[in-house]
Amino acid sequence: MNEIIKSLYNRKSMRVYEEKPIPEEMKEVILEAAAQAPSAGCQQLYTILDITDEKLKEALSETCDHQPFIAKAPMVLVFCADCKKWYDTYLEAGCSPRKPGMGDLMLAVTDTAIAAQNAVVAAESFGIGSCYIGDIMENCEEQRRLLQLPEYVFPAVMLVFGWPTEQQKKRTKPLRFDQKHIVHENTYRSMDGEELRQMFADRCGQKSFEEWTEAFCNRKYDSDFSREMTRSVEEYLKQFL
């Protein structure tokens, strides 16, 4: 197994960091690695916000589901799906472009996520841990105010980076589903109840399938933060409709 594949297998979310800064030259490499990601038509439909203001980091740690470790992270990046800069460019060139729509947003979100993962892989190569923060999609009105987000710009991905503590390094990586449940050949295959139960067998532990799934549903899918994320994203989407 080569070093890149080994890194991908070993990487896990790190949420506790040493009080140690990330050297500026490493940060620049991570940001440049993000920009080297493939993108649709080489448009790079994203803008990366480098959050260096400590008060802003503190505010984001609250608006992103009250997670104090965000404020303590030495590097915080918000990857925005950006449909504005190309639209503005077309207007500047005297074009008569249609307004950005849902397809443009989906393409931009894809570009953004790929760039973010490049940053994660680059950081991992230095021994710098990272954690994705999906909660950046919540609290649309407040995030827009804090980050001064204009129309057609959507905060798709937030990442925090830092030097992980020994405890974090030794923490067991959560299990992934077996490949036979993830990879379908040629066409989508709906799984029946038996296969779904088989897929989750390693995750349920001592609980029954029903007990584990109900607890997870209540904690995640039907949680207040999940409902808020759905409301917030719907609010962002209005500008693209």
Side-chain angles (χ1 to χ4, degrees):
M1 187 183 293
N2 66 46
E3 290 305 309
I4 294 175
I5 299 297
K6 196 180 297 182
S7 171
L8 293 173
Y9 274 58
N10 291 337
R11 191 265 165 196
K12 54 182 177 284
S13 295
M14 302 289 190
R15 295 180 176 84
V16 185
Y17 310 116
E18 296 178 358
E19 292 185 14
K20 175 182 168 185
I22 293 173
E24 198 61 32
E25 58 270 24
M26 286 187 181
K27 181 178 182 177
E28 287 303 314
V29 170
I30 291 167
L31 288 168
E32 185 55 43
Q36 293 302 317
S39 70
C42 201
Q43 295 173 84
Q44 293 181 274
L45 296 166
Y46 52 82
T47 293
I48 304 170
L49 307 182
D50 178 15
I51 310 299
T52 58
D53 185 283
E54 294 301 324
K55 289 183 178 178
L56 180 53
K57 280 166 62 175
E58 185 70 45
L60 288 170
S61 75
E62 287 301 312
T63 58
C64 292
D65 206 31
H66 314 292
Q67 301 183 81
F69 82 94
I70 295 171
K72 297 177 182 178
M75 186 163 84
V76 175
L77 303 177
V78 178
F79 289 73
C80 297
D82 187 351
C83 296
K84 174 179 165 60
K85 59 186 172 187
W86 277 87
Y87 182 65
D88 287 350
T89 300
Y90 296 140
L91 293 175
E92 178 65 23
C95 303
S96 301
R98 59 176 174 78
K99 290 187 177 180
M102 293 290 290
D104 303 298
L105 175 62
M106 292 299 101
L107 204 60
V109 168
T110 300
D111 269 15
T112 306
I114 297 169
Q117 185 61 13
N118 257 32
V120 165
V121 174
E124 194 76 12
S125 75
F126 290 129
I128 297 170
S130 59
C131 185
Y132 279 95
I133 309 293
D135 307 279
I136 192 64
M137 291 187 284
E138 296 175 35
N139 300 309
C140 166
E141 296 80 6
E142 190 62 9
Q143 312 294 28
R144 273 177 168 164
R145 185 187 69 79
L146 287 171
L147 302 174
Q148 298 180 29
L149 301 177
E151 271 199 325
Y152 308 127
V153 177
F154 170 61
V157 176
M158 182 175 177
L159 277 168
V160 296
F161 299 85
W163 302 99
T165 62
E166 284 303 313
Q167 179 273 334
Q168 286 285 288
K169 291 178 188 176
K170 292 175 181 176
R171 191 169 51 80
T172 302
K173 180 173 179 172
L175 288 172
R176 268 38 179 181
F177 291 124
D178 192 279
Q179 283 289 89
K180 65 184 178 183
H181 305 305
I182 300 297
V183 182
H184 299 185
E185 188 171 357
N186 294 322
T187 57
Y188 187 89
R189 173 179 56 78
S190 293
M191 293 182 278
D192 60 20
E194 181 180 352
E195 186 173 357
L196 289 171
R197 289 169 182 271
Q198 185 185 69
M199 184 172 73
F200 282 91
D202 291 336
R203 299 202 178 189
C204 295
Q206 301 302 310
K207 293 183 178 180
S208 69
F209 171 78
E210 288 79 8
E211 289 173 328
W212 187 91
T213 306
E214 182 177 10
F216 191 90
C217 183
N218 291 337
R219 190 174 78 252
K220 290 283 189 181
Y221 188 73
D222 273 339
S223 66
D224 289 343
F225 77 79
S226 183
R227 292 174 185 275
E228 163 54 26
M229 185 178 292
T230 296
R231 182 208 67 82
S232 180
V233 171
E234 286 175 352
E235 186 62 31
Y236 279 116
L237 293 181
K238 287 177 182 178
Q239 64 195 302
F240 292 94
L241 296 174

